[in-house]
Amino acid sequence: MNKAQRDTIFSQAKQWIYEAGAKIREQIHTPLTIDTKSNPNDLVTAMDRSTEAFFAKNIKHTYTDHLILSEEGYGDQLDSMDGIVWIIDPIDGTMNFVHQKRNFAISIGIFNDGVGEIGFIYDVMEDVLYSAKKGEGAFKNNERLPQLNRGVPFHQAMISMNHFWLCENRLVEEKRMQQLVKDVRGTRTYGSAALEFAYVAEGIIDNYLTLSLSPWDYAAGMVIVNEVGGVTTTIDGDNIDMLSKTSVAAGNPVIQEKIITDYIKQARK
């Protein structure tokens, strides 16, 4: 993908995101049709589906050779990342959308032969767009985000992680992760992986840790975090498989290395 092509796709995707966001805001207080997927807490609404359908229709009409990897069933069946692939979560943070009417995002990552070229995370209710193009930096609306501060002392770090890390589970020993919580300045959880990536890129959270995400949860965030000098790996420090559900660690490389080495690897069962 050359620069001219990247710029054209970026502008078109940005327009669609703002259109989709406006429609969501217009209908935010209308009665919701809510279903469940894998479990009673895995929610999906008619708004999730209609928003994804909006993107899929526009992409397929405008870019007939592009592929889509998405959450709600409007994408393609992919066995590789060859070509140009749009990875879409129409509403990341559906439980927040249902219960709070805020703290959710539209997340779109656009990859070319497996390389992240474009990333968008749109906080719909706050009308804040985080975006990035490969090699051109990351932005919050029109403000360029600075490179992450690698000099943050570990005891001053802010970490985003949910409570599953601190409960008994089959992946990590919870007492070691509880020690991590004690050793850093603070922990937060926002209920939207996309927004947590955005806050890492903004530098208001130093690292984000999660035990399981799907590609549409992390694709856009990876592109944006990379543009501010951050890294995204599995919790073991391995490269991410863009077609798989996986654990994810993202953020400040210095803080992340210490978390993985001194806490996660010691907590792995």
Side-chain angles (χ1 to χ4, degrees), residues 140-255:
K140 179 183 179 182
N141 290 334
N142 296 317
E143 179 183 351
R144 188 183 184 97
L145 296 175
Q147 294 290 292
L148 298 181
N149 177 12
R150 297 191 178 208
V152 175
F154 190 76
H155 69 276
Q156 294 181 9
M158 292 283 286
I159 307 298
S160 182
M161 57 191 296
N162 61 39
H163 67 277
F164 295 113
W165 286 92
L166 309 180
C167 304
E168 184 176 356
N169 65 74
R170 62 183 178 82
L171 292 176
V172 295
E173 199 283 312
E174 66 276 7
K175 288 184 173 57
R176 187 60 187 159
M177 300 310 295
Q178 290 166 4
Q179 186 62 49
L180 169 63
V181 171
K182 295 176 183 178
D183 290 346
V184 297
R185 172 163 282 176
T187 57
R188 299 290 184 269
T189 185
Y190 297 95
S192 164
L195 289 179
E196 289 173 293
F197 268 96
Y199 299 157
V200 166
E202 191 175 355
I204 59 177
I205 292 291
D206 295 295
N207 274 86
Y208 170 48
L209 306 172
T210 184
L211 291 170
S212 180
L213 287 183
S214 296
W216 40 82
D217 298 312
Y218 56 76
M222 286 179 64
V223 178
I224 297 170
V225 166
N226 185 67
E227 286 299 309
V228 293
V231 294
T232 304
T233 68
T234 70
I235 63 171
D236 297 306
D238 299 326
N239 292 333
I240 296 285
D241 177 357
M242 295 305 302
L243 294 176
S244 299
K245 181 175 284 191
T246 183
S247 65
V248 172
N252 186 311
V254 177
I255 301 295

Side-chain angles (χ1 to χ4, degrees), residues 53-215:
F54 166 80
F55 285 115
K57 178 181 178 180
N58 280 291
I59 293 165
K60 290 298 186 180
H61 176 76
T62 308
Y63 304 108
T64 57
D65 59 335
H66 290 195
L67 299 169
I68 300 172
L69 180 61
S70 56
E71 183 169 16
E72 308 304 345
Y74 292 90
D76 300 291
Q77 295 296 319
L78 303 183
D79 56 15
S80 80
M81 288 291 291
D82 294 346
I84 296 178
V85 180
W86 296 58
I87 306 180
I88 301 171
D89 194 338
I91 297 179
D92 183 80
T94 300
M95 191 174 292
N96 290 350
F97 170 72
V98 170
H99 287 271
Q100 301 174 353
K101 310 298 185 186
R102 62 184 181 218
N103 298 324
F104 61 89
I106 296 171
S107 178
I108 298 179
I110 304 174
F111 284 65
N112 184 28
D113 292 335
V115 176
E117 296 277 354
I118 295 169
F120 290 104
I121 296 171
Y122 184 45
D123 185 334
V124 174
M125 300 310 293
E126 295 297 322
D127 191 23
V128 173
L129 180 66
Y130 297 86
S131 64
K133 288 184 278 186
K134 183 177 182 295
E136 298 184 34
F139 292 80
K140 179 183 179 182
N141 290 334
N142 296 317
E143 179 183 351
R144 188 183 184 97
L145 296 175
Q147 294 290 292
L148 298 181
N149 177 12
R150 297 191 178 208
V152 175
F154 190 76
H155 69 276
Q156 294 181 9
M158 292 283 286
I159 307 298
S160 182
M161 57 191 296
N162 61 39
H163 67 277
F164 295 113
W165 286 92
L166 309 180
C167 304
E168 184 176 356
N169 65 74
R170 62 183 178 82
L171 292 176
V172 295
E173 199 283 312
E174 66 276 7
K175 288 184 173 57
R176 187 60 187 159
M177 300 310 295
Q178 290 166 4
Q179 186 62 49
L180 169 63
V181 171
K182 295 176 183 178
D183 290 346
V184 297
R185 172 163 282 176
T187 57
R188 299 290 184 269
T189 185
Y190 297 95
S192 164
L195 289 179
E196 289 173 293
F197 268 96
Y199 299 157
V200 166
E202 191 175 355
I204 59 177
I205 292 291
D206 295 295
N207 274 86
Y208 170 48
L209 306 172
T210 184
L211 291 170
S212 180
L213 287 183
S214 296

